[in-house]
Amino acid sequence: MAHWLYKSEPSAWSWEQQKAAGEKGTEWTGVRNYLARNNMRAMQIGDKGFFYHSNDGLEIVGIVEVCALSHPDSTAAGDDRWDCVDIRAVRDMPQAVTLKDIKVNEKLSNMALVTSMRLSVQPVTDDEWLEVCRMGGLDNPPR
């Protein structure tokens, strides 16, 4: 099982909207970066990820899981270069984990969120996953 981080501006797609999508989840569309697309192509059903509010908030607010494998992005207007996965909300983070707190945590100094700030879909190592979950108040995080 791999872990990921999905960035979204809350004014475009918020954690509350993700939760409202329910069990069916929603396509993670609009990604137009080859590395981020390749990350989605590597995802498996059940992979967990952090939902991160970018620009406004700058914090991890929830946990999602992949519920449909990589498929053509419905917003790509027939351009077969771009794929997406479907994700659904799993749970709120008990306490949001801010970018500021992540940056000062030495255990997270190599996290893609710190080193590759612009990448919209990022891998998260198992150790990073556990540390961020700990910071967010999850004693028994979903894996």
Side-chain angles (χ1 to χ4, degrees):
M1 204 58 60
H3 299 106
W4 308 93
L5 182 140
Y6 303 84
K7 289 175 147 184
S8 181
E9 294 180 26
S11 60
W13 185 257
S14 71
W15 175 238
E16 292 304 317
Q17 288 172 297
Q18 185 64 50
K19 291 191 302 185
E23 194 65 24
K24 181 180 179 226
T26 187
E27 289 184 324
W28 197 255
T29 59
V31 174
R32 301 297 182 264
N33 172 285
Y34 288 105
L35 182 53
R37 180 214 53 199
N38 291 345
N39 286 337
M40 289 192 290
R41 286 181 174 177
M43 293 176 184
Q44 298 298 313
I45 298 291
D47 280 1
K48 302 294 188 286
F50 293 125
F51 192 101
Y52 177 83
H53 276 164
S54 61
N55 291 346
D56 182 22
L58 301 177
E59 59 190 3
I60 294 171
V61 294
I63 293 178
V64 296
E65 73 178 356
V66 175
C67 58
L69 294 176
S70 178
H71 56 85
D73 183 330
S74 64
T75 67
D79 186 342
D80 63 2
R81 292 177 297 168
W82 305 115
D83 290 356
C84 65
V85 294
D86 291 13
I87 61 172
R88 67 175 153 239
V90 172
R91 65 163 301 149
D92 295 319
M93 288 296 281
Q95 301 151 6
V97 180
T98 67
L99 177 60
K100 181 179 174 183
D101 289 338
I102 289 169
K103 284 184 170 183
V104 299
N105 185 325
E106 289 184 24
K107 293 179 181 178
L108 301 174
S109 62
N110 292 322
M111 189 173 182
L113 185 60
V114 175
T115 63
S116 303
M117 280 298 299
R118 299 184 67 96
L119 191 59
S120 61
V121 179
Q122 309 173 351
V124 174
T125 69
D126 290 344
D127 288 342
E128 292 164 349
W129 177 260
L130 293 173
E131 181 63 12
V132 171
C133 286
R134 183 198 62 76
M135 293 169 69
L138 287 176
D139 295 330
N140 189 18
R143 292 191 182 229

